[in-house]
Amino acid sequence: MKRRNFLKNSTLTTAGMLSAPLLASCQGTTKKTIVENDSTKIVKPIAICTWNFMNATAKAWEVLEKGGSSLDAVEQGVMVEEADLNNETVGNGGRPDRDGRVTLDACIMDKDANCGAVLCMENIAHPISVARKVMEETPHVMLVGKGAEQFAYEQGFQKTNLLTEKAKKDWLEWKKNSQYETIINIENHDTIGMLAIDKNGDIAGACTTSGMGYKMAGRVGDSPIIGAGLFVDNEVGGATATGVGEEVVRTVGSFLIVELMRQGKSPQEACEEGVRRIMEKNKDRTDFQIGFIAINKKGETGGYCIHPGFSYRSYSEEGHIDNPSDSFLKV
Ligand code: SD4
């Protein structure tokens, strides 16, 4: 039974046990609340994404403006970055692992808490669309590696060489020292996580990445993990992350932020608390970046990060805006 129906039915059952006068007053209140909620329901279509990916939010807004769903908006929005060969942290053109293989991670989540993800998948240019197919065409949430790739071919996706000449050259250069450090570009374009609200007030989210450059073979971060790199609850809001995935996984960051919003925090306050929790577990460490963004049902947004330099893009009727994010560390 859908949760709403369950709540509705349990309200009716409870009402059956109440005395007539009390029932009358309860019904009156309930009805009024419903009417008030309906008449004051604020629907603010908006798309936001990690970093200043303006082409991605422009695409998402194009979908929303035409009345499209938040799910289509986030998928098509992040696809822009997956296709951009100059973006070295997402999709085609992403940096390979230490063995020279480009392995991609992505996940997507809709208004009904349906979700799909692909992890460590090679040779497919749009992992977000494969993640959506996992969500819509299989009984599963996650497909990994060869299985994800095979599923993608079965769904009609084409095999694509994702290692560009530039990425290959940089990797060969890196191999000279093969220093394994989880270096995240603090101020450069990075993983894209996107959240959107459509004209019905429904929220969806998507997150896609090539992960850490020169990572160990098989390494997967937070980005395709529902609850870590992305979480949406259509009754509350959504959150998504960029940065050192291991730290986001340890605190189940995006889920935490949505739960904090459920408890009454604004998206901004929730993102700040999310970063604080991570820093509490890393008292002696400042050598990594994480940025969270969040949106609530009213279309209010927030973003917060560890190091200065992170921002998030938003596109709504209020405009197409780059929102510099405040940071835990000030320099
Ligand atoms: C990861 N969160 O794989 C990603 C990294 C990231 O581009 O944001 N990088 O851990």
Side-chain angles (χ1 to χ4, degrees):
M1 195 188 302
K2 283 238 184 317
R3 185 160 182 261
R4 261 176 226 290
N5 290 341
F6 174 75
L7 290 175
K8 206 167 88 190
N9 287 349
S10 42
T11 308
L12 290 176
T13 313
T14 316
M17 297 186 302
L18 297 174
S19 67
L22 188 56
L23 177 59
S25 73
C26 284
Q27 281 173 335
T29 314
T30 311
K31 204 167 168 191
K32 194 165 161 234
T33 309
I34 290 168
V35 170
E36 271 177 8
N37 280 347
D38 282 353
S39 61
T40 57
K41 194 173 160 194
I42 307 159
V43 176
K44 179 187 167 190
I46 180 170
I48 65 172
C49 73
T50 54
W51 306 102
N52 191 16
F53 290 125
M54 56 190 303
N55 295 335
T57 39
K59 182 69 201 177
W61 182 248
E62 192 186 308
V63 175
L64 295 174
E65 223 182 2
K66 285 185 195 144
S69 70
S70 50
L71 187 64
D72 287 340
V74 294
E75 181 190 11
Q76 290 180 38
V78 303
M79 282 173 76
V80 171
E81 290 309 316
E82 288 182 337
D84 182 355
L85 298 183
N86 294 319
N87 185 332
E88 296 180 325
T89 53
V90 180
N92 202 350
R95 290 196 192 96
D97 66 13
R98 52 165 66 176
D99 302 327
R101 293 171 184 274
V102 180
T103 64
L104 304 180
D105 303 326
C107 72
I108 194 159
M109 191 161 189
D110 76 5
K111 66 183 172 59
D112 297 315
N114 297 310
C115 44
V118 289
L119 292 72
C120 213
M121 185 178 68
E122 293 180 64
N123 300 315
I124 305 290
H126 287 297
I128 198 65
S129 301
V130 185
R132 183 167 176 177
K133 290 284 185 196
V134 172
M135 174 174 86
E136 292 177 341
E137 306 294 336
T138 81
H140 307 303
V141 168
M142 298 190 213
L143 289 180
V144 180
K146 285 287 166 218
E149 192 179 339
Q150 182 191 327
F151 170 71
Y153 297 139
E154 285 163 12
Q155 292 292 319
F157 290 84
Q158 298 301 309
K159 183 166 186 167
T160 308
N161 173 22
L162 304 175
L163 187 64
T164 58
E165 278 312 308
K166 158 97 173 49
K168 187 172 175 184
K169 200 163 146 255
D170 291 347
W171 166 64
L172 290 171
E173 190 57 34
W174 172 84
K175 258 166 66 104
K176 288 180 184 161
N177 293 321
S178 294
Q179 243 187 331
Y180 186 58
E181 285 174 36
T182 51
I183 301 168
I184 285 286
N185 290 335
I186 288 174
E187 292 179 43
N188 290 338
H189 287 184
D190 214 34
T191 292
I192 182 163
M194 182 178 276
L195 304 162
I197 302 181
D198 60 28
K199 69 175 192 326
N200 298 322
D202 289 325
I203 308 173
C207 188
T208 178
T209 187
S210 53
M212 303 279 204
Y214 319 130
K215 60 196 174 187
M216 290 174 72
R219 180 266 181 193
V220 172
D222 61 319
S223 306
I225 308 294
I226 296 294
L230 173 74
F231 195 71
V232 169
D233 183 324
N234 200 34
E235 291 183 8
V236 179
T240 186
T242 177
V244 177
E246 281 75 2
E247 298 305 325
V248 179
V249 170
R250 286 172 75 200
T251 52
V252 200
S254 294
F255 179 74
L256 170 66
I257 288 170
V258 172
E259 286 306 300
L260 290 167
M261 290 194 288
R262 189 195 305 281
Q263 289 162 24
K265 288 208 185 312
S266 69
Q268 183 60 36
E269 290 165 345
C271 288
E272 290 179 16
E273 180 60 20
V275 169
R276 262 197 298 274
R277 296 273 180 105
I278 288 172
M279 296 316 279
E280 268 168 27
K281 302 234 171 351
N282 288 283
K283 290 224 160 59
D284 303 321
R285 249 190 100 190
T286 55
D287 61 343
F288 65 106
Q289 172 70 313
I290 287 173
F292 283 118
I293 62 170
I295 198 165
N296 67 11
K297 203 63 185 159
K298 286 187 256 177
E300 294 166 340
T301 65
Y304 199 62
C305 56
I306 298 174
H307 290 272
F310 174 63
S311 69
Y312 67 96
R313 232 327 128 172
S314 58
Y315 207 146
S316 69
E317 275 173 359
E318 285 158 23
H320 197 191
I321 301 162
D322 182 28
N323 306 276
S325 158
D326 196 5
S327 53
F328 185 87
L329 302 170
K330 300 302 174 196
V331 282

